[in-house]
Amino acid sequence: MTETAAPQRAKASFDARALIVSREAALKRFELGDRAFHTLTKSSAIAVLVLLGGVIISLIHGSAPALREFGFGFLTSQSWNPVTEKFGAGPAIYGTLLTSFIALLIAAPVGFGIAVFLTEICPFQLRRPIGVAVELLAGIPSIIYGIWGMFILAPVLQATLQPWLIAGFADVPLLNDLFAGPPYGIGIFTASIILAIMILPLIASISRDVFATVPTVLKEAAFGVGCTRWEVVRRIVMPYTGAGLIGGVMLALGRALGETMAVTFVIGNAHKIHPSILGPGTTISATIANEFTEADGVLYTSSLIALGLVLFIITFVVLAASRLMLARIKRQEGR
């Protein structure tokens, strides 16, 4: 009995030591894998910051000659003359902000309406086909929008809507300057419509997704106390998804601010601030796309790079403002 027990105890002790060794090896492998994963993710985050810093430094370095030459007057000057090397970003900044603002005024209500229809009203069988059709608009290349806007939309607006706006607001103070003629067809208003069509799928898709997150029990409770569908949307769905809606609008605004090719086709590319939105204008991205390949001389090239720096700052300010708005909304929801 004793002779057989000793080998069994030795075997059990050996198995225990082997188990401990295998566990230690497995833990070491897990630890190495965790360290490698941590290093990889940290390196990726640092690489993004380094890349962003490199872009900022290159923009500042490239725009330094123009900023030294023109100072802060570069931001307000309407002069853009490559022959005399007098450059100003005023018309480009004005066109960028105005076209994006008008595009949001058009696209945001329509996008919210599409999202409400798809989530609250549309029959279940049609939700997917209509949703896919809306999302397909986002897949169309911007140059296609530009060609369509130049050869189809602009002539239609020149013959129909623009003359009607000019005649309809001719006797209205302030608005008669805003909608002054002649009807060019192309211009800031046409570019804004193209931008609105381009950012519409983004607003509609994000709004639809955030509307779908509203708990069904909240809407059923509202219907149970006698609320109409409009009251449910206005008092339940909209407040519950406010942060998501603002986030979608800000993403669309970022897309509109940086759009290039579609705007270049239809805005008219005129370096002048017109009081009328029907007149031609330009944007920062359109100016860079049109003239960068033709830029001759340090000051000309530096002025275009300075325009890129201004666009970068505008985008950064817009994103920072959106983050602050979202943080404030979340704090109010918490209270």
Side-chain angles (χ1 to χ4, degrees):
M1 192 87 174
T2 344
E3 293 178 357
T4 58
Q8 291 178 353
R9 287 195 298 271
K11 183 179 179 182
S13 176
F14 177 79
D15 292 341
R17 287 195 299 270
L19 181 61
I20 292 173
V21 171
S22 62
R23 286 181 176 176
E24 290 178 351
L27 290 175
K28 287 182 179 179
R29 287 197 302 271
F30 292 152
E31 184 179 1
L32 290 175
D34 186 65
R35 288 180 179 176
F37 178 74
H38 176 77
T39 303
L40 179 61
T41 53
K42 184 178 180 180
S43 301
S44 301
I46 294 175
V48 171
L49 295 177
V50 171
L51 181 62
L52 180 62
V55 170
I56 296 173
I57 292 173
S58 62
L59 287 175
I60 294 175
H61 180 266
S63 61
L67 297 179
R68 282 196 301 265
E69 178 70 20
F70 305 114
F72 286 102
F74 177 78
L75 301 178
T76 57
S77 174
Q78 296 191 43
S79 174
W80 191 271
N81 193 333
V83 178
T84 60
E85 292 193 330
K86 299 295 183 182
F87 302 103
I93 296 174
Y94 172 79
T96 300
L97 297 178
L98 185 59
T99 53
S100 300
F101 177 72
I102 297 175
L104 280 184
L105 287 182
I106 298 173
V110 177
F112 293 160
I114 293 173
V116 170
F117 175 76
L118 290 177
T119 55
E120 304 293 334
I121 302 174
C122 181
F124 184 78
Q125 296 81 358
L126 297 178
R127 290 184 180 181
R128 184 172 180 83
I130 296 177
V132 171
V134 172
E135 291 174 354
L136 282 176
L137 290 175
I140 300 176
S142 60
I143 193 170
I144 302 300
Y145 280 111
I147 294 174
W148 174 79
M150 183 176 182
F151 293 104
I152 305 297
L153 181 62
V156 171
L157 293 178
Q158 185 181 22
T160 56
L161 182 60
Q162 290 187 359
W164 179 80
L165 291 173
I166 294 170
F169 293 103
D171 299 326
V172 181
L174 299 180
L175 292 181
N176 56 358
D177 292 330
L178 190 63
F179 296 100
Y184 295 100
I186 60 175
I188 290 178
F189 183 65
T190 306
S192 301
I193 294 177
I194 294 293
L195 282 179
I197 297 173
M198 295 182 68
I199 66 177
L200 177 62
L202 186 59
I203 296 177
S205 299
I206 294 178
S207 301
R208 180 195 60 187
D209 292 340
V210 297
F211 284 164
T213 63
V214 179
T216 306
V217 64
L218 293 180
K219 294 187 286 188
E220 291 178 349
F223 284 124
V225 298
C227 292
T228 63
R229 192 180 298 274
W230 162 244
E231 289 174 331
V232 170
V233 171
R234 183 167 64 92
R235 299 183 180 276
I236 303 298
V237 176
M238 289 291 188
Y240 189 89
T241 59
L245 295 179
I246 292 178
V249 169
M250 289 303 173
L251 285 176
L253 178 58
R255 168 75 187 276
L257 288 171
E259 181 54 45
T260 304
M261 293 309 302
V263 174
T264 304
F265 273 88
V266 298
I267 199 169
N269 301 305
H271 291 278
K272 186 177 181 181
I273 296 178
H274 290 272
S276 173
I277 64 174
L278 303 182
T282 189
T283 63
I284 294 175
S285 55
T287 301
I288 296 174
N290 279 326
E291 303 190 23
F292 203 87
T293 55
E294 302 174 359
D296 185 17
V298 176
L299 196 58
Y300 193 1
T301 304
S302 177
S303 298
L304 293 174
I305 297 176
L307 285 178
L309 178 62
V310 172
L311 181 59
F312 181 89
I313 294 174
I314 292 174
T315 306
F316 178 81
V317 170
V318 168
L319 293 178
S322 67
R323 296 297 300 177
L324 291 176
M325 291 175 60
L326 293 176
R328 181 175 297 180
I329 291 175
K330 290 181 179 180
R331 286 198 300 269
Q332 291 175 353
E333 290 176 351
R335 289 197 297 266

